[in-house]
């Protein structure tokens, strides 16, 4: 689905939006491939957490640059936030680094969830765009499941989370593709 | 009933001799080379001929390779269960089978087009004589010749489509040549002891794992650049080029990761990703051309 979106689904965007969506869907595609080939242990790597944060960041940036007239403030905010999170990951302790990444996820996730809803209810987009919000909820749920698992507070067994995650990723990507087609 | 059981038994013995996944991947590269030529007239007869001749020749060279290497296969855990080292298949029978299948493949290729046949024969000759018989047991650099022979199916397919050996065809072959180290060297790191026991020189045993990983990273980058050149040269749309860039980031990133944070998991992940990358690139060229 992500490959299809990258090849066929980006014909009417500006170069910047196309690049941002390509990074977002590209990272989704690579994440799925690497999970398939190398297993879930790969997610325990520090760098993977940082790179994975680029998925919601670039998707939200793509949405903002595509749908809003004024996107500079959010772009600067989220980019600087991401750079700080990377620096903290490299030079700081685990908790502060995790917290900074959490903030970035929260900000970009909020844009992915709320912006399509606002656009639809103000008549600026078709109903399909709500699928992006739905996709955001799905991947957010997946992220929370993994986060709780990593923190040792999971309500589900590891095997259950591991078997659910690919399904969540599939439906998330499908929802994003349908949403952007609107 | 008796005939059926003989056929089944032979099939079970012969099938492992052709390394079906490797053969299939090389077959896909050959088909990609042909399709990339955008022939104005593409007949099913030519397409079937291309597929059958390449399948027979690649299978034939693999059988001959297995026949010649049966002694070292017997020394390696990974390969000692193959029919020849196990003794379930007579070596003479395997040699005859390899020769017959190879001759059929090259013969069919020559009957279709002289230049196609010559390139197919060159692939067979380089793989069996230069790589397997002459260099494999002498130098780790033999994989360069293995890589050149691996590039022949795609060059042959392209030559069949265009009627000549052109720059795109050579770039295709270079891409395969540079991809081969990623595939083979990650494998030789994983099965280091096996190759050592068999006395086969490899890059890890000659130059060490760290240098080998650097070579893997550089060759992955080279392969990606060569395929990018092909993709641009044959005029693939930006959509395919974007997806291709994404997959390339994956292989170069993994190769870089294997240099700076080496582990068994990353190494074997790179091995599997490299196959997927090549298959994905070929499928993109086919889909983008059609």
């Amino acid at each position: 689905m992500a490959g299809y979106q990258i090849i066929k689904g980006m014909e009417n965007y500006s170069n910047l939006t196309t690049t941002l969506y390509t990074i977002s869907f590209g990272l989704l595609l690579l994440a799925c491939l690497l999970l398939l080939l190398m297993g879930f242990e790969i997610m325990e790597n520090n760098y993977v957490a940082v790179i994975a944060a680029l998925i919601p960041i670039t998707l939200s940036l793509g949405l903002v640059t595509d749908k809003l007239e004024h996107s500079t403030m959010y772009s600067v905010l989220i980019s600087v936030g991401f750079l700080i999170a990377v620096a903290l990951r490299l030079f700081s302790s685990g908790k502060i680094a995790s917290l900074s990444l959490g903030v970035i996820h929260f900000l970009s996730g909020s844009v992915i969830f709320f912006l399509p809803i606002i656009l639809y209810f103000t008549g600026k987009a078709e109903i399909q765009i709500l699928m992006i919000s739905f996709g955001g909820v799905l991947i957010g749920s997946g992220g929370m499941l993994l986060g709780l698992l990593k923190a040792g507070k999971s309500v589900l067994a590891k095997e259950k989370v591991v078997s659910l995650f690919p399904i969540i990723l599939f439906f998330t990507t499908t929802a994003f593709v349908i949403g952007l087609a609107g | 009933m008796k005939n059926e059981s003989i056929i089944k038994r032979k099939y079970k013995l012969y099938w492992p001799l052709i390394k079906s996944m490797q053969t299939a991947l090389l077959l896909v590269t050959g088909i990609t080379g042909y399709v990339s030529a955008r022939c104005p007239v593409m007949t099913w007869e030519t397409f079937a001929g291309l597929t059958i001749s390449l399948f027979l020749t690649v299978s034939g060279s693999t059988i001959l390779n297995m026949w010649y290497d049966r002694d070292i296969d017997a020394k390696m855990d990974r390969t000692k269960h193959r029919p020849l080292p196990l003794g379930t298949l007579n070596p003479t029978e395997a040699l005859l089978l390899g020769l017959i299948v190879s001759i059929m493949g090259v013969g069919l290729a020559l009957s279709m087009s002289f230049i196609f046949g010559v390139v197919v024969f060159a692939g067979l000759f380089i793989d069996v004589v230069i790589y397997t018989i002459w260099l494999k047991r002498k130098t780790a650099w033999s994989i360069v010749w293995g890589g050149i022979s691996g590039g022949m199916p795609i060059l042959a397919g392209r030559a069949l489509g265009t009627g000549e050996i052109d720059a795109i065809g050579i770039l295709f072959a270079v891409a395969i040549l540079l991809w081969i180290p990623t595939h083979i060297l990650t494998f030789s790191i994983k099965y280091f002891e096996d190759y050592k026991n068999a006395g086969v020189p490899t890059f890890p045993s000659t130059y060490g794992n760290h240098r080998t990983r650097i070579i893997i990273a550089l060759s992955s980058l080279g392969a990606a650049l060569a395929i990018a050149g092909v993709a641009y040269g044959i005029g693939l749309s930006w959509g395919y080029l974007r997806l291709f860039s994404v997959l390339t980031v994956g292989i170069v990133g993994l190769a870089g990761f294997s240099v700076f944070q080496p582990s068994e998991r990353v190494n074997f992940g790179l091995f599997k990703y490299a196959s997927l990358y090549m298959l994905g690139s070929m499928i993109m060229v086919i889909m983008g051309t059609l």
Side-chain angles (χ1 to χ4, degrees), chain A residues 160-177:
Chain A
K160 196 81 177 169
V161 175
V162 165
S163 60
L164 270 175
F165 201 67
I167 300 167
I168 291 173
L169 273 179
F170 173 73
F171 283 110
T172 299
T173 312
T174 307
F176 286 155
V177 170

Side-chain angles (χ1 to χ4, degrees), chain B residues 178-260:
Chain B
L178 291 172
W179 166 79
I180 295 273
T182 309
H183 184 78
I184 293 182
L185 296 184
T186 49
F187 208 62
S188 54
I189 290 174
K190 183 174 170 66
Y191 294 103
F192 180 86
E193 287 300 323
D194 259 7
Y195 285 105
K196 196 177 158 193
N197 291 340
V200 177
T202 62
F203 268 73
S205 63
T206 312
Y207 301 104
N209 281 352
H210 183 66
R211 281 186 185 175
T212 303
R213 287 193 176 101
I214 292 172
I215 290 167
I216 290 171
L218 291 175
S219 71
S220 301
L221 189 62
L225 288 173
I227 298 183
V230 167
Y232 185 74
I234 61 172
L236 285 190
S237 70
W238 280 108
Y240 286 101
L241 292 177
R242 280 197 299 270
L243 182 56
F244 176 75
S245 305
V246 166
L247 294 178
T248 301
V249 166
I251 196 165
V252 174
L254 262 181
F257 215 73
S258 78
V259 173
F260 297 110

Side-chain angles (χ1 to χ4, degrees), chain B residues 1-280:
Chain B
M1 285 298 283
K2 198 180 175 187
N3 279 342
E4 191 184 52
S5 68
I6 288 171
I7 291 168
K8 264 189 179 175
R9 197 159 49 84
K10 291 290 180 192
Y11 172 79
K12 276 183 184 171
L13 283 174
Y14 293 165
W15 188 251
L17 295 179
I18 69 162
K19 295 185 186 170
S20 52
M21 291 299 282
Q22 182 185 294
T23 301
L25 192 57
L26 288 171
L27 200 53
V28 170
T29 66
I31 291 168
T32 304
Y34 177 66
V35 174
S36 76
R38 290 190 174 98
C39 297
V41 182
M42 202 184 283
T43 64
W44 282 109
E45 289 87 347
T46 310
F47 194 78
L50 164 85
T51 309
I52 294 167
S53 62
L54 282 181
F55 175 76
L56 290 173
T57 314
V58 173
S59 300
S61 72
T62 312
I63 295 168
L64 292 173
N65 180 312
M66 286 225 189
W67 166 77
Y68 190 78
D69 281 344
R70 63 191 186 283
D71 57 333
I72 55 177
D73 279 350
K75 293 174 188 167
M76 306 209 293
D77 281 339
R78 184 176 62 82
T79 53
K80 67 184 181 190
H81 299 293
R82 287 174 178 169
L84 281 163
L86 216 53
T88 51
L89 180 64
N90 185 303
T92 311
E93 186 181 343
L95 173 64
L96 278 174
L97 179 72
L99 286 173
I100 290 168
V101 171
S102 300
I103 290 166
M104 282 167 64
V106 174
L108 178 59
L110 278 168
S111 73
M112 290 173 68
S113 149
F114 179 71
I115 194 164
F116 173 60
V118 167
V119 178
V120 167
F121 175 73
L124 176 77
F125 182 81
I126 292 168
D127 185 48
V128 177
V129 179
I130 298 181
Y131 171 65
T132 304
I133 297 175
W134 182 22
L135 295 174
K136 187 175 176 179
R137 297 168 193 231
K138 289 183 179 155
T139 167
W141 289 92
S142 64
I143 63 159
V144 173
W145 291 96
I148 292 172
S149 71
M152 289 299 117
I154 201 165
L155 182 63
R158 176 83 187 172
L160 181 65
T162 59
E164 60 178 7
I165 292 175
D166 63 353
I168 296 285
I170 291 171
L171 210 50
F172 259 136
V174 169
I176 304 287
L177 164 65
L178 291 172
W179 166 79
I180 295 273
T182 309
H183 184 78
I184 293 182
L185 296 184
T186 49
F187 208 62
S188 54
I189 290 174
K190 183 174 170 66
Y191 294 103
F192 180 86
E193 287 300 323
D194 259 7
Y195 285 105
K196 196 177 158 193
N197 291 340
V200 177
T202 62
F203 268 73
S205 63
T206 312
Y207 301 104
N209 281 352
H210 183 66
R211 281 186 185 175
T212 303
R213 287 193 176 101
I214 292 172
I215 290 167
I216 290 171
L218 291 175
S219 71
S220 301
L221 189 62
L225 288 173
I227 298 183
V230 167
Y232 185 74
I234 61 172
L236 285 190
S237 70
W238 280 108
Y240 286 101
L241 292 177
R242 280 197 299 270
L243 182 56
F244 176 75
S245 305
V246 166
L247 294 178
T248 301
V249 166
I251 196 165
V252 174
L254 262 181
F257 215 73
S258 78
V259 173
F260 297 110
Q261 286 207 332
S263 72
E264 179 69 15
R265 181 179 297 278
V266 173
N267 184 55
F268 205 53
L270 176 60
F271 170 77
K272 289 190 275 189
Y273 188 90
S275 298
L276 202 65
Y277 175 77
M278 187 47 68
L279 184 64

